[in-house]
Amino acid sequence: LEVDHVLEMISTYGRNLVVLELGDIDQAWQKCHLPVKHQAELEGTIYQFTQNCPKLQALSMHGMTAVNKTQVHEILAILLKPLHLLTKLDLTDCTLKVEKMDTSLLQNLTSLNLTDVRIHNLHEAFTAIAKLKNLSQLMLCQLSVVEWVVNYQEPEKAMEYLMPQLPHLKYLDISGTNLCGFQAENDHTSPAIPGLEGRMLDFLGLFECPWDACKRENLPARAVTGHADMQQLMLAIDTY
């Protein structure tokens, strides 16, 4: 669909929309390209995607990249401004600087999906996410490149900081990353996952995590994805 047709449909039905899935939104953004001198017009076009959606509670956009000089976090701020009831945001595969998100627009958020969003500054990104106190679901998995694990610096320290900041968290996916933290094979005293001491999640994604994290004892979740047994594998197939 052309952008104009999408905007026309949103304008017609937007006031009753509760869920909006824009799919691979990058194709639409590229059709929005305008000369830099028309930057205000560009921002106006972006704003039209959500300005008539006052009841929207869930927004999904995949693969969003910058348009002209407008970065993804700036585009996101324009889109989110009228969405006062938004509780779920899916930014899978977006080229986004998480640390620059305007979290003041996301205070009602209960679910944030950052699957395959490359985080370059883990500390600053987690500082931003920590402001979203109502989160119950957080997806940080990196599975677009299955041949290697995304390794962050000081993952244990980052997790020990973030997890206590999210008291309502029940669903956490860190598959394909080293956020599980290192644990020696015979270490039975350290927490299975850093930052989750004394917690019990409903779901914990550990598929393709290093150091056989999914095989650790006393994992703090009722359901786990991984390769430790058939149950973990079947859940991984169903999830991913």
Side-chain angles (χ1 to χ4, degrees):
L1 289 175
E2 296 292 333
V3 173
D4 289 344
H5 293 161
V6 174
L7 291 175
E8 182 179 350
M9 287 191 294
I10 293 176
S11 177
T12 302
Y13 303 107
R15 296 210 166 270
N16 293 315
L17 280 180
V18 177
V19 177
L20 179 59
E21 297 181 1
L22 295 174
D24 190 355
I25 193 60
D26 190 46
Q27 296 178 13
W29 294 143
Q30 299 317 313
K31 292 177 185 285
C32 285
H33 271 273
L34 298 168
V36 175
K37 64 180 181 180
H38 293 151
Q39 191 70 13
E41 186 178 349
L42 169 62
E43 294 178 4
T45 300
I46 294 170
Y47 186 63
Q48 289 180 57
F49 276 90
T50 56
Q51 67 174 341
N52 294 316
C53 305
K55 298 179 182 179
L56 200 67
Q57 297 178 25
L59 176 62
S60 174
M61 300 174 292
H62 290 189
M64 182 167 55
T65 60
V67 179
N68 287 335
K69 292 185 177 181
T70 306
Q71 299 300 311
V72 172
H73 66 275
E74 296 172 315
I75 295 172
L76 193 59
I78 296 170
L79 291 168
L80 295 175
K81 192 173 182 179
L83 304 181
H84 304 296
L85 300 180
L86 193 72
T87 59
K88 296 182 179 181
L89 181 60
D90 182 351
L91 299 173
T92 295
D93 198 30
C94 289
T95 307
L96 170 70
K97 292 184 178 180
V98 177
E99 64 272 16
K100 292 192 175 183
M101 287 195 307
D102 187 349
T103 54
S104 67
L105 300 172
L106 299 171
Q107 289 306 300
N108 293 324
L109 213 63
T110 60
S111 177
L112 177 61
N113 191 343
L114 297 175
T115 296
D116 293 328
V117 173
R118 296 309 167 109
I119 297 175
H120 300 288
N121 190 321
L122 188 63
H123 172 72
E124 291 188 7
F126 275 18
T127 298
I129 295 172
K131 297 177 183 178
L132 306 177
K133 300 299 184 182
N134 291 313
L135 280 185
S136 60
Q137 294 184 329
L138 178 60
M139 286 71 93
L140 298 169
C141 48
Q142 299 282 335
L143 296 173
S144 60
V145 182
V146 296
E147 291 83 7
W148 50 277
V149 171
V150 174
N151 287 301
Y152 298 111
Q153 292 185 351
E154 300 183 319
E156 297 89 354
K157 183 178 179 180
M159 289 287 285
E160 287 168 357
Y161 163 74
L162 179 61
M163 291 300 101
Q165 304 297 319
L166 304 176
H168 302 294
L169 197 67
K170 289 295 182 181
Y171 185 113
L172 175 66
D173 200 338
I174 53 176
S175 296
T177 76
N178 67 339
L179 291 173
C180 57
F182 175 76
Q183 186 180 76
E185 185 175 349
N186 296 319
D187 184 356
H188 302 294
T189 58
S190 300
I193 303 297
L196 291 177
E197 301 93 315
R199 302 275 290 273
M200 179 57 65
L201 306 181
D202 293 331
F203 176 95
L204 178 60
L206 295 175
F207 187 67
E208 295 293 336
C209 281
W211 309 304
D212 284 335
C214 61
K215 295 183 178 180
R216 294 174 184 171
E217 296 181 5
N218 301 318
L219 287 170
R222 297 177 179 87
V224 177
T225 61
H227 60 268
D229 53 36
M230 188 57 66
Q231 185 176 7
Q232 286 190 6
L233 282 170
M234 292 302 294
L235 182 58
I237 291 172
D238 185 57
T239 302
Y240 312 117

